[in-house]
Amino acid sequence: AKFIKLPNGLPMLPVHPIERRALKIPENAFVLCLISRGLPEKGWEEAIRAVEMANRSSSRPVHLVILGDGEERVRLESSAPETVHFMGTVNNVRDYLTMSDAGLLPTYFKGESYPLVLIESILCSRPVITTNIGEIKNQISSEDGETAGVLLELVQGKPQVEALCAAILSWINDPVQYNHAKDIAIKLQRKFDINKIAKQYLEIYRKSIGTGGQSEP
């Protein structure tokens, strides 16, 4: 009874989408955006392999934009296909997300809790393909149990490349399914409204110090 769970949130910000042609990405491509530190457990290699696999049978070219730096960039960049774009650390992640069709986070990091990058994606009206670890399931679920994307189970502690590929292809082959996930992402935006969340925190502080529901001075 002494514990209360509240979501995290982020402010709404203006976005200026990156032009696909600046990255040599075709306008008809299905673009995924992965944002994380370059740790093996964040699933960069699995994401790259899934995109390679998807491109073998997809009706549209599939591209992956990776934002972040670390050991995985050093290890993977030189051998990655041309459909994978390593952008390093950037300050304007929402500009890249808005250019993309979906967010991607195939994480199996044991310390994963409540990834802010998924909030960033949802605030850009982009559904996500991610894994069921930490608080992610609750994070991307609406009150009626619908999810703003595809939630994949880990198998022996890791995401399966085949399952990632199948999730990508399901959205390419079924625009209705993709657009439904996108609609859920838009509906979830109010869940992460930082102004609403700040009021919830203030209310808890007021109750804790015994001021009840007194109005803010």
Side-chain angles (χ1 to χ4, degrees):
K2 293 183 179 180
F3 291 89
I4 298 173
K5 183 191 290 187
L6 292 178
N8 208 334
L10 292 170
M12 294 297 294
L13 299 171
V15 294
H16 306 282
I18 302 296
E19 292 189 3
R20 291 187 173 194
R21 63 183 179 182
L23 302 183
K24 297 181 180 179
I25 297 176
E27 289 300 322
N28 70 326
F30 189 86
V31 182
L32 299 133
C33 186
L34 193 165
I35 309 168
S36 79
R37 291 176 291 163
L39 302 175
E41 298 85 358
K42 292 292 185 175
W44 287 27
E45 181 176 0
E46 289 80 2
I48 292 170
R49 289 172 58 198
V51 166
E52 286 185 287
M53 186 180 296
N55 271 310
R56 297 189 194 118
S57 58
S58 174
S59 58
R60 297 166 59 186
V62 184
H63 283 245
L64 173 63
V65 177
I66 300 179
L67 309 182
D69 271 310
E71 59 187 275
E72 286 297 87
R73 183 180 182 184
V74 175
R75 184 174 75 90
L76 298 169
E77 186 170 13
S78 62
S79 60
E82 293 182 355
T83 53
V84 179
H85 311 267
F86 294 83
M87 307 309 300
T89 301
V90 303
N91 295 322
N92 57 334
V93 297
R94 295 190 194 183
D95 294 345
Y96 287 90
L97 280 165
T98 307
M99 174 202 69
S100 306
D101 294 285
L104 177 64
L105 187 65
T107 176
Y108 54 102
F109 180 60
K110 290 184 179 180
E112 202 70 77
S113 55
Y114 204 86
L116 291 179
V117 294
L118 296 181
I119 300 177
E120 299 275 19
S121 187
I122 288 169
L123 292 180
C124 292
S125 304
R126 297 299 182 264
V128 296
I129 298 173
T130 186
T131 45
N132 189 7
I133 187 171
E135 280 289 307
I136 289 178
K137 181 177 181 179
N138 292 330
Q139 190 177 7
I140 67 168
S141 296
S142 64
E143 292 182 357
D144 56 7
E146 292 192 289
T147 56
V150 180
L151 187 70
L152 300 174
E153 298 296 332
L154 299 177
V155 178
Q156 296 182 341
K158 288 189 175 183
Q160 299 299 290
V161 172
E162 294 80 4
L164 286 169
C165 175
I168 295 167
L169 291 175
S170 70
W171 280 352
I172 293 172
N173 297 330
D174 188 350
V176 173
Q177 182 182 350
Y178 167 76
N179 286 325
H180 180 69
K182 188 173 181 179
D183 289 341
I184 301 302
I186 294 171
K187 291 178 182 178
L188 274 183
Q189 290 177 351
R190 60 179 177 270
K191 177 178 179 179
F192 303 109
D193 182 345
I194 194 63
N195 296 310
K196 176 182 176 182
I197 294 169
K199 289 178 181 178
Q200 292 176 306
Y201 275 94
L202 286 171
E203 186 63 22
I204 290 174
Y205 292 142
R206 291 192 185 103
K207 289 181 178 179
S208 298
I209 62 177
T211 59
Q214 294 180 13
S215 60
E216 186 175 349

